[in-house]
Amino acid sequence: MKNILALVVLMVVVFGCKAMTDTSGFTPAEHYEFAKSFYDDEDYLEAIAQFKSILVQYPGNEVTDDAQFYLGMSHFQRSEFILSAYEFSKLIKNIPASSFVPECQFMLGESYYELSPDAVLDQSYTAKCIEEFQAFIEFFPLDKRVAGAEKKINELNNKLAEKEYYNAIVYERMEYYMAAIKTYEYILRVHHDSEYVKDAMYNLIKLQERKNLVADLLRNIETFIESYPDDSRVKELDDLKVSFEGN
């Protein structure tokens, strides 16, 4: 126990002294390596302070983009995702020729991915994440991380569809039937690859039956039966189609 306590005290002293180092005599490269050592030691708070100091003291120096990138990464490691997104976007905007731009574009998407909330909440960050990952794929199509970005885009598009689906359910419960119809139609039009399409189409048909929208109802029944022939609701919809065609 005494040995462990002594080690803790030693670490506090060592890291405390390191953080108090006078950097005024450092070259830009030395200051960067000093700052990076905090990042490597996972002391992200001190790394942030040092990288910010570098950006202020040496604007335009060759270490600037390194410091800017790791400033963003330090915030990301601290789960400060709004700040990390800001710092990554700052590098992309201010140093477009930097070799860190592909990494920053990907991490910009990752930052917004971490900010994307549950489907029942506002999905502004989700939409922003999709936008940034799509930009990454467009500008760096040969990057090995494209497949991962595409997978997350699909996941987030499904979340947006889920959000719209539950919005439609709420409209139904409130008896705002035309609003529900428009929302279901939006899902079919915009999120046609999502897992919510089948249920959205079925619910849409039932609402069109309620509102006596015969032409739209018959068209959607045909599409549903063609798309999901093994669904348990096919017979019900087929009978519904026959009843309306007989009128």
Side-chain angles (χ1 to χ4, degrees):
M1 184 67 180
K2 290 182 178 179
N3 290 338
I4 295 175
L5 181 60
L7 179 61
V8 170
V9 171
L10 178 61
M11 290 176 65
V12 170
V13 171
V14 169
F15 284 108
C17 291
K18 182 179 175 183
M20 294 174 62
T21 300
D22 182 6
T23 61
S24 60
F26 284 1
T27 64
E30 288 171 341
H31 197 166
Y32 168 73
E33 291 300 328
F34 179 68
K36 183 65 163 47
S37 70
F38 287 104
Y39 180 87
D40 293 338
D41 290 337
E42 300 182 5
D43 184 355
Y44 301 119
L45 192 61
E46 184 59 32
I48 288 169
Q50 294 298 330
F51 288 131
K52 284 183 175 179
S53 177
I54 290 170
L55 293 172
V56 170
Q57 292 185 61
Y58 319 114
N61 189 273
E62 62 181 9
V63 302
T64 300
D65 58 342
D66 300 71
Q68 184 67 55
F69 172 72
Y70 280 105
L71 175 58
M73 287 300 300
S74 297
H75 283 301
F76 187 87
Q77 296 293 354
R78 283 176 53 82
S79 299
E80 298 168 345
F81 302 118
I82 293 177
L83 292 174
S84 67
Y86 172 76
E87 298 299 346
F88 292 134
S89 62
K90 191 174 178 181
L91 187 149
I92 293 168
K93 178 181 178 180
N94 294 340
I95 320 175
S98 171
S99 61
F100 283 105
V101 167
E103 186 76 17
C104 279
Q105 185 62 57
F106 181 79
M107 291 306 301
L108 190 53
E110 288 286 283
S111 296
Y112 285 117
Y113 180 82
E114 295 295 337
L115 288 166
S116 176
D118 291 339
V120 296
L121 302 175
D122 178 77
Q123 294 301 306
S124 297
Y125 286 130
T126 302
K128 185 64 176 172
C129 179
I130 292 171
E131 177 186 331
E132 298 300 346
F133 274 138
Q134 285 177 333
F136 173 75
I137 293 168
E138 179 181 350
F139 289 112
F140 311 106
L142 300 181
D143 193 286
K144 63 183 180 181
R145 293 164 294 190
V146 163
E150 289 175 335
K151 183 178 179 180
K152 287 184 175 178
I153 287 174
N154 290 336
E155 173 193 336
L156 296 176
N157 274 324
N158 202 64
K159 183 186 286 189
L160 292 180
E162 181 181 2
K163 171 70 171 177
E164 294 297 332
Y165 182 79
Y166 285 112
N167 284 346
I169 294 293
V170 170
Y171 288 142
E172 280 198 69
R173 290 173 180 170
M174 297 175 68
E175 300 184 358
Y176 296 158
Y177 297 125
M178 293 309 299
I181 285 173
K182 289 183 180 299
T183 305
Y184 286 131
E185 289 175 338
Y186 178 83
I187 294 171
L188 301 186
R189 186 173 66 254
V190 176
H191 300 295
H192 48 82
D193 292 330
S194 79
E195 65 185 59
Y196 292 89
V197 167
K198 181 165 63 172
D199 288 338
M201 186 177 294
Y202 175 81
N203 292 353
L204 175 60
I205 291 168
K206 300 302 287 184
L207 285 176
Q208 288 169 337
E209 177 188 9
R210 175 187 286 272
K211 302 300 290 184
N212 201 36
L213 302 172
V214 178
D216 293 336
L217 176 146
L218 293 175
R219 184 180 65 253
N220 284 320
I221 287 177
E222 288 183 5
T223 301
F224 188 98
I225 293 174
E226 289 175 4
S227 301
Y228 313 107
D230 298 325
D231 189 89
S232 61
R233 295 165 289 189
V234 163
K235 186 179 185 309
E236 173 198 347
L237 294 181
D238 194 41
D239 290 343
L240 180 62
K241 176 184 175 184
V242 171
S243 71
F244 271 92
E245 287 178 333
N247 293 336

